[in-house]
Amino acid sequence: MILTSAITEKLRLIEALIRTPTYTAVGYTHGRIVYVSTVEGATDLWSLDLKTNEKIKLSEGGIHSLAPVRSKSPLVVYTYDVSKGRELQQVFVNHVEGGKEFRIEKMGPRRVLGMGFDGETIALGAATEKAMELWRLTPSGEAEKLYETHALLFVTDYNDGRIVGQGIFKGDPRAFEIFMYDIKKAEFKVYTPKEGSVNKNPKVRGDLVLFTTTAFGDEKLLIYNIAKDELEEPKFTHDDYKKYKFTEYVDYDWTDDGRIWFIGKREGRTKVFIDGKEVPMPEGFSSSLVVVENKAYITHSTLTSPPRVYEVDLRTSERRVILGADLPPEVASRLGKRYFIKYRSPDGLEIPTYVVESQAAPKPGPTIVYVHGGPWAEVADYWSVLLASLVVSGYHVVAPNFRGSTGYGEEFRRLDIGDPGGGDLQDVVAAAKWAKEQGLASKVAIMGYSYGGFMTFLATVKAPDVWDAGVAGAGITDWEEMYKLSDAFFRQFMDILFDNKRELWKDRSAINFVENLKVPICIVHPQNDTRTPLRPVLRYVMKLLELGKTFELHVVPDVGHAIRRIDDVLKIVMPAVIFLDRYLK
């Protein structure tokens, strides 16, 4: 392939964007902030001495998941994928001041479904081919399986002798219940304040469990008192939070001295509160908070600026960036305005959407409808390296939060349960129509990764006249074959998503409609993906070949669904950009 000077320059700018380091604060212990950064080419753990600014790297090659950091312990607990992307993980421990990593080998590699650390021992959820499990491990290497279930289960916290988390234990795919496992009693209990409600992300402190619930209407932050078997309202000293109405809570917990903090979200932007008092932050998205005495360390980003860590003085509200990197000027200058809009889907439902315009494209100009993964996720006003790469490449981006997205209330999120690839597909098609009607788009392509890849495959065969091209990353072409290739966790995920309506699998699988494809499609897929396996996609490709369709296939070797290294991000983004340059000019 011969690349023109224009596309070569475009690729240079994209690489500069992707290699700009990101920083996320995740905890504090023994005088050091623990953070995650891509500064050396992978998503690794670091620690920063708050007095000397000394930085120490704690992991190597990209971690997969992380347990909460406890200030009373100098240890940091995390996992690596030990299976070349197949997401079979083992737990590792390191000292916050660095040293030799220790692997806990007595629990064999598993898909990890959340971890907790009480400062002395580790708790985690895990999935095998057959079941979901609850484990307890020690930093010295011991491992004990505590519980096994076929229900969907995630560990969210572990403290004061209790493991807590969320799952679907009562068979209702539209509900989430809380579980509590008492270590001393070896007792597993399920709790919900109301049948059919959604209860999420419990945090535990003594007999108190802090969680969100929809039992009484919109999502609300409440406390369950285990000893009294009663619900309580959180108590705050300040009432700044009362000025806002949030649709969701990004995160929350207790500080070491017992104050409750939370990050509230509405329309993809956040506000931060400690003990009810607002911590002033720029417009955008604050994704994590670490409180150290009179200082807060907050991770913040927008759709046009990568994550950085602010130190905020809680007495004066003064803030400064302590960890961060600016985009190169020639990259930043191509990122245009970002804004939030709503348009209507054919059935009248309002679809909340973020738009980012490219300074390198005319209006109307080439536009990408970017479909997020999940589907229970969203495009908010936070950094997405894939979305930003498209804008820098010279494409306006319209990113719909189709029905089923998070961030807009449980009623909205539940709308695609039992109907994936139905109403949500119409929402995505309507985004292309909106972009043209508003004078933003000339040509329109669809692009997405994971569930967004599934939607790309399906949209290009079910609405083939809408698009000028498609890019499907780590997508799904055949739900029936995917089910056969999945472990216990993803089989449960599919049953929940489809509300056990397996008769829909055929109609929502692009492989059954491949003859309808009219536009070029670029397929980028990780070789070792166990969430969206490669094998059904290869069968789809063989049908494309037999029918003489125009396509590209790029298989990324020795990589799984979750991308941890910058070089692997480049292997996904670069082929897509070259393809779009050819077909969306």
Side-chain angles (χ1 to χ4, degrees):
M1 178 186 299
I2 299 175
L3 300 180
T4 66
S5 58
I7 188 63
T8 301
E9 174 63 9
K10 191 180 288 189
L11 296 176
R12 184 189 70 80
L13 292 172
I14 292 169
E15 181 168 5
L17 178 145
I18 292 171
R19 292 197 183 279
T20 301
T22 61
Y23 297 86
T24 301
V26 295
Y28 168 83
T29 185
H30 289 61
R32 306 184 76 94
I33 289 290
V34 181
Y35 65 97
V36 175
S37 178
T38 59
V39 66
E40 289 193 359
T43 307
D44 277 310
L45 276 168
W46 295 72
S47 72
L48 169 71
D49 189 305
L50 289 176
K51 291 183 178 179
T52 67
N53 287 325
E54 175 195 38
K55 297 169 185 165
I56 296 175
K57 192 176 186 183
L58 306 179
S59 68
E60 189 66 50
I63 65 166
H64 198 281
S65 54
L66 173 71
V69 177
R70 297 295 183 189
S71 61
K72 63 185 177 182
S73 171
L75 300 181
V76 183
V77 181
Y78 49 97
T79 70
Y80 287 120
D81 183 328
V82 295
S83 59
K84 293 186 176 181
R86 295 178 179 86
E87 296 191 84
L88 299 177
Q89 302 158 58
Q90 284 197 295
V91 179
F92 287 72
V93 179
N94 203 346
H95 195 283
V96 72
E97 295 181 356
K100 186 176 181 181
E101 296 174 297
F102 177 74
R103 181 198 298 227
I104 300 175
E105 296 182 331
K106 289 192 176 179
M107 184 194 79
R110 280 165 166 73
R111 186 185 300 278
V112 172
L113 308 174
M115 286 199 296
F117 179 48
D118 69 354
E120 296 179 359
T121 56
I122 303 152
L124 60 83
T128 66
E129 292 292 321
K130 297 180 180 179
M132 264 65 75
E133 304 168 335
L134 199 60
W135 284 78
R136 188 182 184 212
L137 296 75
T138 67
S140 61
E142 298 301 312
E144 175 190 9
K145 184 166 77 170
L146 303 173
Y147 189 76
E148 183 174 298
T149 179
H150 292 287
L152 205 65
L153 169 153
F154 304 88
V155 169
T156 58
D157 200 16
Y158 172 38
N159 207 8
D160 297 328
R162 288 188 175 94
I163 305 168
V164 297
Q166 68 194 51
I168 297 177
F169 301 103
K170 299 194 174 186
D172 183 351
R174 292 168 176 80
F176 274 91
E177 294 83 33
I178 285 172
F179 77 83
M180 296 164 281
Y181 185 90
D182 189 307
I183 296 290
K184 288 183 180 179
K185 296 179 181 178
E187 183 178 69
F188 187 95
K189 282 189 174 181
V190 173
Y191 170 75
T192 179
K194 182 180 179 182
E195 296 294 326
S197 61
V198 172
N199 305 278
K200 296 187 299 185
N201 197 24
K203 305 293 177 71
V204 62
R205 182 183 176 94
D207 286 333
L208 304 180
V209 178
L210 181 67
F211 70 107
T212 58
T213 181
T214 62
F216 308 101
D218 295 337
E219 186 166 285
K220 187 175 184 179
L221 193 62
L222 288 178
I223 294 172
Y224 174 60
N225 189 314
I226 299 171
K228 296 180 179 179
D229 189 26
E230 292 178 354
L231 282 174
E232 304 172 0
E233 295 268 358
K235 293 181 175 60
F236 300 107
T237 304
H238 307 276
D239 62 359
D240 294 0
Y241 68 97
K242 291 183 178 179
K243 295 183 292 185
Y244 305 99
K245 183 175 175 59
F246 302 110
T247 51
E248 280 188 4
Y249 292 83
V250 176
D251 202 2
Y252 42 84
D253 208 336
W254 285 274
T255 62
D256 284 347
D257 61 7
R259 294 172 293 165
I260 292 173
W261 63 263
F262 66 86
I263 303 173
K265 176 177 59 173
R266 185 175 184 83
E267 294 185 343
R269 292 183 172 132
T270 61
K271 299 287 184 181
V272 180
F273 301 88
I274 301 173
D275 198 16
K277 184 178 181 181
E278 183 175 355
V279 182
M281 290 294 292
E283 183 181 71
F285 199 96
S286 296
S287 55
S288 73
L289 169 66
V290 178
V291 180
V292 183
E293 297 178 349
N294 291 314
K295 300 284 180 65
Y297 298 88
I298 301 174
T299 306
H300 182 273
S301 71
T302 72
L303 281 162
T304 55
S305 59
R308 61 193 65 207
V309 178
Y310 285 86
E311 179 188 74
V312 184
D313 189 313
L314 298 177
R315 295 161 296 189
T316 65
S317 295
E318 293 180 357
R319 62 177 182 254
R320 66 185 181 100
V321 175
I322 63 164
L323 293 165
D326 293 327
L327 293 169
E330 67 268 30
V331 173
S333 65
R334 296 171 76 94
L335 294 167
K337 63 179 181 179
R338 67 190 201 280
Y339 50 94
F340 177 82
I341 61 100
K342 292 181 180 179
Y343 63 86
R344 291 196 180 274
S345 200
D347 64 358
L349 184 69
E350 281 194 330
I351 308 303
T353 301
Y354 269 94
V355 180
V356 186
E357 295 183 6
S358 176
Q359 296 283 64
K363 288 175 66 175
T367 298
I368 311 291
V369 173
Y370 175 80
V371 189
H372 67 70
W376 304 315
E378 67 178 302
V379 173
D381 191 11
Y382 57 62
W383 184 247
S384 163
V385 70
L386 181 54
L387 191 154
S389 295
L390 296 173
V391 178
V392 169
S393 298
Y395 306 107
H396 306 305
V397 174
V398 178
N401 288 301
F402 49 84
R403 67 192 73 194
S405 300
T406 55
Y408 299 91
E410 272 303 310
E411 184 177 345
F412 190 82
R413 185 193 69 85
R414 292 172 171 179
L415 287 176
D416 73 334
I417 295 176
D419 190 34
D424 54 3
L425 176 60
Q426 296 308 310
D427 301 341
V428 170
V429 170
K433 180 182 178 183
W434 177 89
K436 287 193 171 181
E437 288 177 347
Q438 296 299 312
L440 180 69
S442 51
K443 290 186 174 182
V444 182
I446 181 171
M447 180 172 177
Y449 189 88
S450 192
Y451 193 83
F454 153 67
M455 291 287 275
T456 298
F457 279 126
L458 196 63
T460 50
V461 297
K462 288 234 172 177
D465 297 315
V466 172
W467 317 103
D468 294 289
V471 179
I476 300 159
T477 58
D478 187 335
W479 287 101
E480 185 173 3
E481 187 173 5
M482 176 178 163
Y483 191 88
K484 293 175 182 177
L485 296 171
S486 294
D487 62 13
F489 176 80
F490 277 98
R491 290 195 299 272
Q492 279 282 347
F493 165 78
M494 285 180 59
D495 285 338
I496 291 164
L497 178 62
F498 279 89
D499 195 10
N500 292 304
K501 297 175 183 176
R502 297 188 180 184
E503 67 274 11
L504 280 179
W505 287 357
K506 183 176 181 180
D507 182 64
R508 306 300 160 86
S509 296
I511 198 163
N512 298 313
F513 306 94
V514 63
E515 67 278 359
N516 295 341
L517 183 70
K518 295 182 179 180
V519 298
I521 188 166
C522 176
I523 302 166
V524 185
H525 210 99
Q527 177 186 353
N528 296 333
D529 198 324
T530 55
R531 300 191 204 184
T532 57
L534 175 61
R535 191 185 303 172
V537 174
L538 292 178
R539 288 205 307 115
Y540 188 80
V541 167
M542 290 306 298
K543 287 200 170 189
L544 293 176
L545 192 64
E546 291 167 5
L547 293 169
K549 303 295 185 180
T550 301
F551 71 94
E552 292 183 9
L553 171 65
H554 303 268
V555 177
V556 186
D558 293 332
V559 174
H561 196 85
I563 307 300
R564 305 296 173 190
R565 299 191 311 123
I566 284 177
D567 285 349
D568 294 329
V569 176
L570 290 167
K571 291 173 186 175
I572 290 171
V573 173
M574 295 298 197
V577 169
I578 295 170
F579 170 86
L580 290 168
D581 187 72
R582 182 179 305 120
Y583 292 108
L584 212 62
K585 284 182 177 177

